[in-house]
Amino acid sequence: MSIEAFVIMCSIVIVMDLVLAVITYNITKLEYAPLIVCQILSASVAISYLLSIVADEYSIMSLMSSIYFSFMDLLCLSLVFHIKRFSGRTKDKRQMIFLGILKAWIMVDIMALLLNPRYEWSLTYEKIEGTAAKWKYVPFLPYKLHLFLCYIMIAYSFAMLIYRAVTSPSIYKRKYIQIIEGIGAVVALNAVFLFIPNNNNLDYSILLYSFIGALMFYNTFFYSKRKMEILTRELVLDELGHPLVVFDIDNKFIMDNVVAKQLGISDWTNEKTTLQEFIEKNDYGKEIINPDEGGSFKLRLMKEGNPVFYRCDYQILYSKKGNEIIGRLFTYTDYSLEVDLLTGFHTESTLRRDYSEYKDFKYPVATAIMDLNRLAEINHKYGREKGDEAIKLLADSMRQSAPKGAYFARLHDAYLFMMVQDTDIRRMREIIDSIEIRVEAEGVFDEKLYVQSATSMIASKETTLFEALIDAEKSIQAKKLMDGNSAHSSLIDSFAQTLQESDSCTEEHVKRTRIMGEKLGRRLALSDAHLSDLALLCLLHDIGKLGIPLEILNKPGKLTDAEWEVMRSHAEKGYRIAKASKELESIAPLILHHHECWNGSGYPDKLKQEEIPLLSRIIAVVDTYDAMTNDRPYRRGMSPNEACNELIRCAGTQFDPYLVSEFIDMLKEEEIFDGEIKKKKADSESFKPRGIDDTVEGDEFQCFVKYTKYVLGDDGNSIAQVDDKFEELTGYTREDIGIYNLGQRDLIFAEDVNKYFEMVKNAISKDHEAYIEHRLRRKDGSERLVFCYGSEFFDPVTKKARTRIIATDIARSMAMQNLLEKERESNNRITKRYEDRLRMDSLTGLLNRIAFQNDGQLIILTDKKAAFTIMDVDHFKHYNDTFGHLRGDEILKEFANSLRRVAPNGTLISRMGGDEFGMMLSFAKDTDDSVIEDAIKSLHRRITEDIQSFDRTITISMGGAIIKEEDITFNTIYQLADSALYDVKQSGRNGVVVK
């Protein structure tokens, strides 16, 4: 080969080495610095060798040769460090000592070589003619030691590579063997040049240095990945449709697939990613405790913005022989593949597994359960195949009508479940309507299919999916009871028939109340479960009349007091009938309380205001209106106008004022009621605002009689609560109650037990209060004569009836009447405390929204003039985000205090929710609107000044509405004031608008 050709080939080698160095750096930066140094030194060796063989002057040739030999030392050393990392060798003490000796030897050798041009103690050169290279090496001992040093480093590199090749699985051996072969070829060619001279006197091994650099580059970065890709395809061929991620024997990331990237499992990984980093990033640490052990676990991923549940299988990959670990594999299986075969929906077990604790929905979430009525009859009449075809038709219709991202599941029997995120009940009902139309239009046989459905709502994380599911199931079961097309309706039919036979007015009455009740319920935006219960209640609220004698039930004249007592018992009889039936159990308490009055004068438990169940309050209004407007055996019915004015007259005493106003507004819209509203007199005490200036007196009073008060538990015997005087009278301490499981029987002598409970039974049967004198058995067995006063009360906390007993030492019985009177007063105060807790906002002590709505409605129904304002703290979210929620709560409490201080006496004040507050202001009937508007604006200014004494940065936005003569519903006024508040916010906040 001519010198020109050799120079050209060396130049190509130099360029290749430098390009590889740049590529390696771009891939790894300095993580693989020894390999980058190898590539740069390989180019440097070639450059210095070329300069040495083409130089004419001896001094230049000698200097370039010394540099060339020095670069060879460094090249071999960098090769050692790279192969040490490439082969996975760990540091140990002996290795560190050996490398330290090598480094010292190299430093001495390089110094000797660099000084050789001056002293020529390592080698000298002879000029020769007729060869491409003009100079010949004449070595001395230091140069021979230089060669020996290079061979030691190469031999050490060989040893590391050979050890790794022997100990690695077969698919990895080749990458180590290739480098051994390449380095061996270079060493052999260099040895030929040194010991067997050629005609041109050229070292052709220089041309192979670049080849070694490329070989190491390929085997370092690409060999494992290529081999593992081939192997993985062979091992997991049937899994390629699922997401998968693969790691090699060194726990380095090798590959994934497109599905894994799309689901965000591995879209962040690269060649540097380790198995441990992958586990930590994806939060698999709780599941994969030992990476050398496989396993399966469930995880949630996001697909197109919706949660998708997968099973992850972590596997250790073995070679074909099965005795060598070659990598680690993650495969992911979509749980949606576990479906009901008939409908293609998720199974119920999948639904419960995937959403048992899931709360990261896009709220609101609407759910629905759908079913086919009389499916059992269809199966019997047409065969099970036709029944399955009908179920499949319903499932297909649900899938076609629901929006993208809806979740479907088949529950027990033929119940089909649908869940749609970011959707309200109104939209869900539209979807259900379209489903029913599809089913009826397509059909699978001549007989018409009837679809039954129920919906429920998940508004926030406070409600779980399964709570909503239970509501929907209860609702659909209730609907089946009332649906004439359902096989379940026979129970209701039998009750209705029996009622009709006992009371000829019942059939039409319950139909009318059901229609009106459903309309009012929808107007109030009740949930589907509540609407179903309300429909059942409308049908069966008078079911207790089955236990009333017909001569009383159908008596044409006025009932006597005794007959009224019997008639009043129908609420409790109805409760017991409903309680005995699993299908009607949910409405039993509603039947029991449908004759309670808003002011607490109703029966049987004298519940008051919001203590009365909402549905019981609704049926009270609807039932009374229908009774008043229709003929009865003992009177003629009123006109709708007369009945509505009667409802208004009794609002706040017998009926919930808010429900009365909404019901009348509903009748006005349907043009049933078109008369003039006769509002309540303004001096009525029934609409006095509660919870503003009321103060609760203490429960302390002077009495020299020894007495104790205690409360019995739900079972009527166990003692649940005692006061501080219980031990003084009975000898039992508070601790004894738990130790002895103390009950009422323990305070009675054994020989008196039967007589005592007989006296109690007789007393309770006549009234809810009992006065009994008996012997009390103390803890020490001694006797004490006591006089006991027992009374039942409704505990709003437990929602159950309980018994309170006062036991008084008989020796001071002269004070008994005073004591009992004081106790009644105390009971009233306690009851009021419970009521206040039910009606008060816990943070500010103001009325809550429901209580404010009801009390405010009562004011609207009076003939006084009133105005309603809504206000909130400007940029309140900024306060919470900047200073924390504790500071935000302080602002709300201080704002509430400002409203109390500034508002005129008699003003109704409420925290409506969040940072929104409401006020209902009363004025004389003839007050001009401009005066009211000025009063509201003045009120805004004074509230702002007051709250700014607490924090100068706070400003208030206020919207107001003056209540007109024709305005009778709270919601109408609220919407008007809310619109005014919106106008204030649009104009920059910190102001007031009155409409």
Side-chain angles (χ1 to χ4, degrees), residues 117-147:
R118 179 177 181 83
Y119 299 106
E120 293 194 335
W121 48 34
S122 292
L123 77 164
T124 187
Y125 309 91
E126 292 180 357
K127 191 165 187 176
I128 55 177
E129 300 293 334
T131 60
K134 301 176 182 179
W135 304 94
K136 178 183 178 181
Y137 301 152
V138 179
F140 303 130
L141 180 61
Y143 177 76
K144 293 177 181 179
L145 292 175
H146 158 75
L147 292 177

Side-chain angles (χ1 to χ4, degrees), residues 668-835:
K668 287 175 68 176
E669 290 175 5
E670 295 182 0
E671 299 182 353
I672 295 174
F673 167 71
D674 58 0
E676 181 181 347
I677 297 292
K678 294 181 180 178
K679 294 195 173 183
K680 298 167 72 71
K681 292 297 181 182
D683 59 354
S684 171
E685 291 296 321
S686 62
F687 70 90
K688 179 185 176 183
R690 302 177 69 255
I692 302 170
D693 297 321
D694 292 354
T695 56
V696 181
E697 297 176 6
D699 198 23
E700 299 292 332
F701 59 91
Q702 271 195 325
C703 183
F704 300 103
V705 176
K706 290 183 179 180
Y707 76 99
T708 181
K709 292 182 291 184
Y710 58 96
V711 177
L712 300 184
D714 298 337
D715 59 1
N717 178 60
S718 62
I719 296 176
Q721 300 173 20
V722 299
D723 63 6
D724 295 335
K725 301 173 185 176
F726 187 78
E727 182 179 0
E728 182 180 353
L729 195 63
T730 68
Y732 289 100
T733 65
R734 291 180 188 271
E735 292 74 18
D736 290 339
I737 295 173
I739 295 172
Y740 299 113
N741 194 20
L742 200 66
Q744 179 70 3
R745 286 177 175 271
D746 298 308
L747 302 179
I748 311 295
F749 286 92
E751 59 270 25
D752 295 344
V753 168
N754 292 336
K755 180 181 177 182
Y756 171 80
F757 283 104
E758 185 178 350
M759 286 191 299
V760 171
K761 183 179 178 181
N762 290 335
I764 294 296
S765 66
K766 297 175 183 177
D767 198 353
H768 289 290
E769 298 179 327
Y771 304 85
I772 297 173
E773 184 178 339
H774 69 91
R775 295 189 303 158
L776 183 141
R777 182 184 182 279
R778 289 170 52 82
K779 181 179 179 180
D780 58 7
S782 61
E783 174 185 309
R784 177 159 295 182
L785 291 176
V786 295
F787 190 95
C788 284
Y789 162 71
S791 63
E792 290 185 348
F793 71 99
F794 180 77
D795 186 351
V797 177
T798 63
K799 302 294 183 185
K800 294 181 179 179
R802 297 188 126 181
T803 302
R804 182 186 293 111
I805 294 176
I806 310 167
T808 309
D809 192 337
I810 202 69
R812 301 302 299 269
S813 58
M814 290 295 293
M816 182 56 63
Q817 292 303 317
N818 289 336
L819 173 64
L820 293 179
E821 185 61 33
K822 292 291 186 180
E823 182 59 26
R824 287 192 182 97
E825 293 176 5
S826 175
N827 285 342
N828 290 337
R829 289 196 296 271
I830 292 170
T831 302
K832 188 174 185 300
R833 288 196 195 106
Y834 282 129
E835 290 173 3

Side-chain angles (χ1 to χ4, degrees), residues 8 74 148 266 336 375 377 387 515 531 559 566 581 611 677 688 784 793-794 883 932:
I8 291 172
L74 296 174
F148 181 68
S266 59
S336 64
L375 183 62
E377 292 182 16
I515 293 170
L531 285 172
L559 298 179
V566 175
S581 169
E611 292 176 347
I677 297 292
K688 179 185 176 183
R784 177 159 295 182
F793 71 99
F794 180 77
F883 304 106
I932 296 175

Side-chain angles (χ1 to χ4, degrees), residues 515-556:
I515 293 170
M516 289 188 293
E518 182 178 4
K519 289 180 179 178
L520 181 56
R522 292 195 180 279
R523 182 181 182 88
L524 298 171
L526 297 183
S527 69
D528 212 21
H530 281 152
L531 285 172
S532 299
D533 283 344
L534 180 58
L536 270 178
L537 184 62
C538 289
L539 288 173
L540 301 175
H541 62 280
D542 282 335
I543 194 175
K545 289 182 179 179
L546 293 175
I548 304 299
L550 292 178
E551 59 271 20
I552 295 178
L553 197 62
N554 295 319
K555 182 178 179 180

